[in-house]
Amino acid sequence: MAVVGFLSLSLAKGQIVIDSSDIMSIGDWATTAIDTTVVGYSPGPAGSNQSWNFSLNLSPDLTDSIYATSVPPSYQSTFPSANILFVNKNKDSMFAEKTNTHLIYLGMSSSIPSLNLRVLFKFNDPLVGSLFPFTYGDSFKDTLLIDNRFPYTQQPGVDSMRVKVISYKDVVVDAYGSIATPSASFSNVLRVRTKSIEFDSVWVHVIFPQPSWQLVSTMQDTSYSFQWVAKQQKIEVLTLNLKSDSATVKSIEWKVNPVTSVSSPEFSYEGINPQGAQPTVYEISGKRINSNMPPSTIRVYIRNGKKFIEINR
């Protein structure tokens, strides 16, 4: 789920300026196409008056949709300041507060298909998605620590699991110009370059012979992405993701049609909890430093019988 998020440090007259009206509002619906077998493309140089052409030889093998809606009344006590909810095709959702000066994420709902379970997560410290306005030359660096513990009884002798994530992010609006995508051409776009370094560790709490936390696995990952954003387009017109070598393209995602306002999309926020009862709320705790880093997705899944929380930015 992609929603534009940056920190504005400076504004200059005559430059492209993105404000809160340029991202999704309640009722907005957008669809994207994703090509994960990309060859022959690169982000291109940074700087002013650039021209990018991504209109040829892209063939989507995945699609996604995102819908912005109001927060259901049953969740307003959990997220009292939330005034917008972003829901994707899989009914994963992000609760947020959007104003003229910022977009912050307060929590999310995600499903665990193999367990037929949907879990609600509340962030102890809101995650900043955007501070408005922003323009060419703006940048920020951020560090995030998340330390999450939750019940886990699927493994004999274990009563809980712990996931720790330390993420370092370097973001800069490094170029502007015009871009052609498979769907349309856009002038006056900003390009945002993001470098992320993430350290993850998974622990289990054993209850015998001596209660203790034991390390299960660790992972370090470096990723790079470039996002092109334009006035009144509501979502990124194109996103290019690079592998850890910073040279090989992993995927390209682009907006395939104009963002429309709809009252009854093919999915709705009721998918968060069809039965109407509040799911268990897990608190994601941790200390944020320079809290201006936007998340994009947080999902819970099962791999080899173990439950994981994946946080991608």
Side-chain angles (χ1 to χ4, degrees):
M1 183 181 300
V3 178
V4 177
F6 315 107
L7 169 66
S8 178
L9 299 179
S10 62
L11 292 176
K13 289 184 178 180
Q15 290 187 346
I16 306 160
V17 178
I18 300 296
D19 59 41
S20 62
S21 68
D22 297 315
I23 68 170
M24 297 186 77
S25 298
I26 290 175
D28 286 342
W29 164 284
T31 303
T32 59
I34 308 168
D35 188 342
T36 61
T37 60
V38 181
V39 293
Y41 278 113
S42 67
S48 60
N49 298 314
Q50 298 296 324
S51 179
W52 301 278
N53 187 356
F54 293 93
S55 63
L56 303 174
N57 302 320
L58 287 178
S59 178
D61 51 289
L62 297 171
T63 62
D64 197 7
S65 297
I66 181 171
Y67 176 58
T69 185
S70 57
V71 177
S74 58
Y75 292 86
Q76 290 173 358
S77 61
T78 305
F79 305 104
S81 64
N83 58 13
I84 191 168
L85 180 67
F86 300 102
V87 187
N88 71 4
K89 185 172 67 174
N90 297 323
K91 298 181 181 178
D92 294 330
S93 51
M94 296 288 290
F95 295 84
E97 175 185 311
K98 179 188 175 186
T99 71
N100 290 333
T101 60
H102 65 251
L103 173 71
I104 60 175
Y105 298 98
L106 306 169
M108 57 86 62
S109 172
S110 186
S111 61
I112 308 174
S114 60
L115 298 180
N116 193 28
L117 177 66
R118 181 165 291 276
V119 182
L120 185 69
F121 293 89
K122 180 181 180 181
F123 306 148
N124 285 350
D125 186 10
L127 303 173
V128 178
S130 298
L131 297 180
F132 302 113
F134 65 86
T135 189
Y136 173 58
D138 291 345
S139 64
F140 71 88
K141 295 182 180 180
D142 198 12
T143 301
L144 173 67
L145 169 64
I146 289 178
D147 190 348
N148 179 225
R149 308 179 189 194
F150 51 90
Y152 177 78
T153 58
Q154 297 184 17
Q155 184 175 335
V158 172
D159 63 2
S160 55
M161 181 173 286
R162 180 182 186 183
V163 176
K164 296 182 66 176
V165 178
I166 303 173
S167 182
Y168 305 94
K169 180 157 291 203
D170 189 348
V171 179
V172 60
V173 185
D174 73 341
Y176 70 88
S178 60
I179 186 173
T181 76
S183 301
S185 295
F186 304 89
S187 59
N188 299 321
V189 297
L190 296 175
R191 188 182 76 176
V192 181
R193 177 189 183 274
T194 302
K195 177 182 179 181
S196 301
I197 304 174
E198 188 167 301
F199 301 89
D200 298 345
S201 60
V202 178
W203 308 68
V204 293
H205 188 259
V206 298
I207 55 179
F208 63 82
Q210 181 79 19
S212 64
W213 286 102
Q214 295 186 4
L215 181 64
V216 175
S217 65
T218 60
M219 181 184 72
Q220 177 180 342
D221 181 59
T222 301
S223 62
Y224 301 82
S225 68
F226 293 81
Q227 297 173 316
W228 284 261
V229 296
K231 295 290 293 181
Q232 296 302 310
Q233 295 304 314
K234 303 302 184 178
I235 65 170
E236 299 87 341
V237 299
L238 188 135
T239 298
L240 183 148
N241 297 301
L242 297 177
K243 295 183 179 179
S244 58
D245 60 7
S246 76
T248 306
V249 177
K250 180 168 61 176
S251 65
I252 293 180
E253 179 175 357
W254 63 95
K255 192 172 94 169
V256 298
N257 57 1
V259 173
T260 57
S261 293
V262 296
S263 58
S264 180
E266 65 186 53
F267 55 80
S268 71
Y269 61 72
E270 293 303 329
I272 295 173
N273 188 15
Q275 287 74 37
Q278 284 274 17
T280 302
V281 176
Y282 289 111
E283 298 286 339
I284 295 183
S285 60
K287 180 181 179 182
R288 290 181 53 79
I289 304 170
N290 301 328
S291 57
N292 298 304
M293 179 167 56
S296 58
T297 59
I298 303 177
R299 68 187 181 97
V300 181
Y301 62 99
I302 302 296
R303 179 179 294 169
N304 296 327
K306 294 183 174 63
K307 184 187 299 182
F308 291 88
I309 297 177
E310 179 178 282
I311 304 174
N312 297 317
R313 298 176 181 85

